[in-house]
Amino acid sequence: NAGVTQTPKFRILKIGQSMTLQCTQDMNHNYMYWYRQDPGMGLKLIYYSVGAGITDKGEVPNGYNVSRSTTEDFPLRLELAAPSQTSVYFCASSKIQGVDQPQHFGDGTRLSIL
Amino acid sequence: AQSVTQLGSHVSVSEGALVLLRCNYSSSVPPYLFWYVQYPNQGLQLLLKYTTGATLVKGINGFEAEFKKSETSFHLTKPSAHMSDAAEYFCAVSDTGSNYQLIWGAGTKLIIKP
């Protein structure tokens, strides 16, 4: 049972480089989310999507872009990497957005910007 | 706006002792509350949730939590700690004013002493 799969698991970037964090889910979930997790700060929502072709900003969207061309995939793009983007990034999905629907998480991408 | 406060970034208990992890929330409407657990180098997984009905909620791995409206609390407990419980625990509230997005606490790392 794959669930939510994130790649890569680790990455080191230089300031100003760009990269795409990949996320795919095989549960046919409509909702997908990108969070960043910083020590002692909990999870902050970057972007979310309610279905293919529809995305919206979360709490901390600056410096990131997303797209949702299929139900399964929700990549996160960093265009000009900055040290402040060093973090652990989690992708999650849920069937619908509602109180009875838990979010299913990937194992995370640990990103360092040097 | 809703918020979540977890008291104590680290909690240390001996194996076999009671586990108590504290969570307080602020909400102007009846909240929906969640506890998630994160094992090292993994994503988060749902431990238990409160939506409506019985205020004492049982989850996986012997954990339970009690919703106390008068105290705006949703503390997580387990009668007897196991070494395998060592993880980080996150409390979250569903933001009914923002289409049920989750608002996360900062997390509490549970350390189990042998």
Side-chain angles (χ1 to χ4, degrees):
Chain A
N1 295 333
V4 179
T5 303
Q6 291 184 238
T7 56
K9 294 190 182 301
F10 305 94
R11 184 72 184 268
I12 298 174
L13 282 182
K14 294 182 179 179
I15 295 171
Q17 286 185 321
S18 61
M19 77 163 294
T20 300
L21 281 66
Q22 301 292 345
C23 175
T24 187
Q25 52 92 8
D26 63 358
M27 296 172 283
N28 201 31
H29 284 173
N30 290 318
Y31 284 75
M32 295 188 76
Y33 315 83
W34 273 107
Y35 293 96
R36 60 177 288 171
Q37 183 184 31
D38 300 306
M41 300 293 289
L43 279 76
K44 301 293 185 185
L45 183 65
I46 305 171
Y47 272 95
Y48 68 100
S49 169
V50 303
I54 306 170
T55 63
D56 207 349
K57 296 177 180 178
E59 185 180 357
V60 290
N62 291 343
Y64 307 95
N65 281 299
V66 293
S67 60
R68 184 95 181 272
S69 57
T70 66
T71 299
E72 296 78 20
D73 300 309
F74 190 42
L76 178 71
R77 178 86 177 160
L78 282 71
E79 290 293 349
L80 291 170
S84 61
Q85 294 177 304
T86 293
S87 188
V88 182
Y89 291 84
F90 287 100
C91 179
S93 72
S94 62
K95 190 173 184 180
I96 59 173
Q97 188 149 271
V99 298
D100 282 331
Q101 300 301 317
Q103 294 184 14
H104 299 260
F105 284 78
D107 287 342
T109 294
R110 284 149 185 82
L111 180 63
S112 293
I113 314 295
L114 303 176
Chain B
Q2 292 167 315
S3 64
V4 177
T5 302
Q6 291 183 241
L7 188 62
S9 59
H10 293 76
V11 169
S12 180
V13 302
S14 297
E15 192 173 18
L18 171 72
V19 175
L20 171 61
L21 304 182
R22 300 178 186 274
C23 174
N24 289 88
Y25 66 90
S26 68
S27 175
S28 59
V29 298
Y32 303 109
L33 297 156
F34 305 81
W35 277 100
Y36 280 76
V37 59
Q38 183 182 28
Y39 297 103
N41 297 316
Q42 293 185 23
L44 285 73
Q45 61 183 120
L46 182 67
L47 200 56
L48 50 79
K49 64 183 179 183
Y50 168 78
T51 55
T52 59
T55 57
L56 183 63
V57 180
K58 296 187 184 298
I60 61 173
N61 301 336
F63 283 93
E64 61 183 33
E66 186 171 10
F67 168 57
K68 291 187 176 181
K69 184 178 179 180
S70 61
E71 299 177 8
T72 61
S73 69
F74 191 55
H75 301 332
L76 182 70
T77 60
K78 182 174 180 178
S80 177
H82 294 169
M83 295 300 293
S84 60
D85 295 327
E88 190 156 17
Y89 293 81
F90 292 89
C91 183
V93 62
S94 184
D95 187 351
T96 55
S98 184
N99 202 19
Y100 299 109
Q101 290 179 19
L102 292 180
I103 306 299
W104 297 86
T108 297
K109 186 164 288 187
L110 178 62
I111 301 162
I112 311 296
K113 297 179 291 186

